Amino acid sequence: MRVTETRTPSSPPARPALSPGLLLVMAVATGLCVGGNYFNQPLLDSIATALGVDQSTAAVTVTLSQVFYGLGLLFLVPLGDLVDRRVLSVGLMVLAAVGQAVCGLAPSIGWLMVGTAMAGLFSVAAQVLVPFAAALAEPGRAATAVGTVMSGLMVGILLARSVAGLLTPFGGWQTVYRVNAVLMLLIAVVLWRALPSSRDRHGLGYGAILASMGGLLRDQPRLRTATAMSALSFAAASTVFAAMAFVLAAEPFNLDDVAIGLVGLAGVAGAVMANVAGRLADRGLARATAGVGALVLLASWALFGLGAHSLIAFVLAVLISDVALKCVHVSNQGVIYALAPQARSRVTAVYMTGYFVGGAAGSALGSLVWATHGWAGVCWAGAALSAAVLVVWWIDIRVSGRATAAAGAS
């Protein structure tokens, strides 16, 4: 499964073939890395009880994982345009596994927060692998490859929410962290053997790499609109997951950790949609797919509102919102990777930093509104953010039209 790049002085770099087997391993790796940041969501009630803290303190771990993930995106992912991507992705994955192990052995909320921060920071290995897959893909297949890897990432997130609850009876809430740490180390070994060495030779240092991201954001208006659109959509979705465990554990549902985790499986359709959205983007339908996703995300809040008293409505809302989020997210990735192929890691850093800052803000907003206005307040906040996604989508259509007209005139 291992592939290598061949370079000669008189010919351009050979593009290594991205085999289905290698693509599958990369998808699994991203799922394990990012999924670990979501274990705490269905376990918040158990964490609060076991560690002797209140629910709001336990909920801080949700925001913490996203904040440190955002820091990793901003300061670590750009290294993919500077150092060997194989070394970087595997090294980050090993460090993320250590963070998961710290969570799995944490005797207090303080140690849990340390492990959560470490796992979140280094789990950006996944966002080194996503543009890596795009770079290895055949011409015209980059968005499809991204969609496949993103499907693995999303399945990892969904299974994280479910497996976290399912494993609780076999050793407590920390079991899932310990199991994931071992799996991540095993997959890191497979990646080390399977991935090609890949490094750009552009002569830029780390400081210049970081500085150039501002230039990319300034010079690429569609990078700005895509980032804003996806950040707002993830913020909308994250308001739910900051409060979901508390809603489902209370009257009238009274669900335990296992049942709360199973509710997350409703989003499997969203993970499948990531692959479909990638294929549609390769066919030139990225904007239409994102627009449909934004509309569906807005509509899902009516079901979330009903979900306070109906488990069926809540499950349907999770399913529909996950499908919508993936439509917006993967379509935007198809757009941004075509903007600056020579700087995919930096483009990823800019876009995904905005995306997860949105998620962290949404989680914080969801926790705050839950404490002050209950579930109805969470739903109204999510609906307002979803409406903003549609506004930015409309702006992006106009920006795209101007870019197309300018290209035709030249």
Side-chain angles (χ1 to χ4, degrees):
M1 187 165 24
R2 177 73 175 274
V3 292
T4 57
E5 288 183 311
T6 303
R7 297 176 184 263
T8 63
S10 58
S11 63
R15 179 184 293 273
L18 183 61
S19 69
L22 177 54
L23 191 59
L24 176 62
V25 172
M26 295 174 80
V28 171
T30 59
L32 290 174
C33 283
V34 178
N37 294 328
Y38 293 82
F39 290 150
N40 50 11
Q41 290 183 356
L43 301 175
L44 291 176
D45 197 53
S46 293
I47 290 172
T49 300
L51 300 182
V53 297
D54 57 33
Q55 291 181 337
S56 60
T57 301
V60 170
T61 61
V62 176
T63 302
L64 193 67
S65 62
Q66 291 172 336
V67 167
F68 275 83
Y69 193 85
L71 291 173
L73 288 168
L74 185 60
F75 294 108
L76 297 180
V77 171
L79 289 170
D81 287 336
L82 181 64
V83 303
D84 189 328
R85 296 180 183 91
R86 171 175 168 248
V87 174
L88 180 62
S89 57
V90 173
L92 291 175
M93 193 169 184
V94 170
L95 290 172
V98 174
Q100 292 288 316
V102 171
C103 292
L105 300 172
S108 65
I109 190 66
W111 276 106
L112 179 61
M113 289 186 177
V114 169
T116 297
M118 185 175 182
L121 181 67
F122 295 117
S123 63
V124 294
Q127 299 304 333
V128 177
L129 290 171
V130 172
F132 202 171
L136 296 176
E138 297 176 2
R141 300 279 296 172
T144 299
V146 167
T148 300
V149 176
M150 288 301 299
S151 291
L153 188 153
M154 299 307 172
V155 167
I157 292 174
L158 294 171
L159 289 180
R161 295 171 183 158
S162 303
V163 173
L166 291 171
L167 290 182
T168 298
F170 300 98
W173 63 269
Q174 291 178 306
T175 303
V176 67
Y177 289 102
R178 298 166 185 166
V179 171
N180 196 53
V182 173
L183 291 177
M184 288 176 69
L185 290 174
L186 292 175
I187 292 296
V189 172
V190 175
L191 280 178
W192 181 257
R193 296 176 59 85
L195 285 173
S197 294
S198 176
R199 181 174 182 175
D200 292 329
R201 304 289 183 180
H202 43 54
L204 296 177
Y206 181 61
I209 287 284
L210 293 181
S212 69
M213 291 193 296
L216 286 170
L217 193 60
R218 180 190 64 242
D219 299 335
Q220 300 288 349
R222 296 204 69 194
L223 178 58
R224 296 196 296 270
T225 54
T227 301
M229 196 188 315
S230 290
L232 287 166
S233 63
F234 193 32
S238 295
T239 59
V240 168
F241 295 111
M244 181 181 78
F246 304 135
V247 173
L248 297 178
E251 295 287 347
F253 306 117
N254 297 313
L255 300 185
D256 59 16
D257 289 345
V258 174
I260 292 172
L262 288 174
V263 169
L265 285 178
V268 167
V272 174
M273 193 63 205
N275 189 278
V276 175
R279 295 179 185 276
L280 291 173
D282 277 334
R283 295 175 184 175
L285 298 174
R287 288 306 85 201
T289 304
V292 170
L295 281 170
V296 172
L297 182 63
L298 180 60
S300 71
W301 290 100
L303 277 174
F304 272 123
L306 295 174
H309 306 287
S310 168
L311 187 59
I312 292 176
F314 197 101
V315 171
L316 285 175
V318 171
L319 186 156
I320 292 171
S321 64
D322 263 7
V323 168
L325 181 61
K326 302 318 175 286
C327 284
V328 175
H329 182 37
V330 176
S331 297
N332 281 330
Q333 285 182 303
V335 169
I336 65 168
Y337 289 143
L339 296 176
Q342 78 286 357
R344 281 197 174 102
S345 291
R346 280 167 283 169
V347 167
T348 299
V350 171
Y351 173 82
M352 292 304 301
T353 297
Y355 184 72
F356 279 93
V357 166
S363 295
L365 178 62
S367 298
L368 176 63
V369 174
W370 165 256
T372 57
H373 294 84
W375 184 242
V378 171
C379 291
W380 280 110
L385 290 167
S386 300
V389 176
L390 275 173
V391 173
V392 179
W393 175 76
W394 177 76
I395 294 172
D396 182 66
I397 293 294
R398 299 193 64 180
V399 169
S400 176
R402 288 197 296 268
T404 301
S410 61

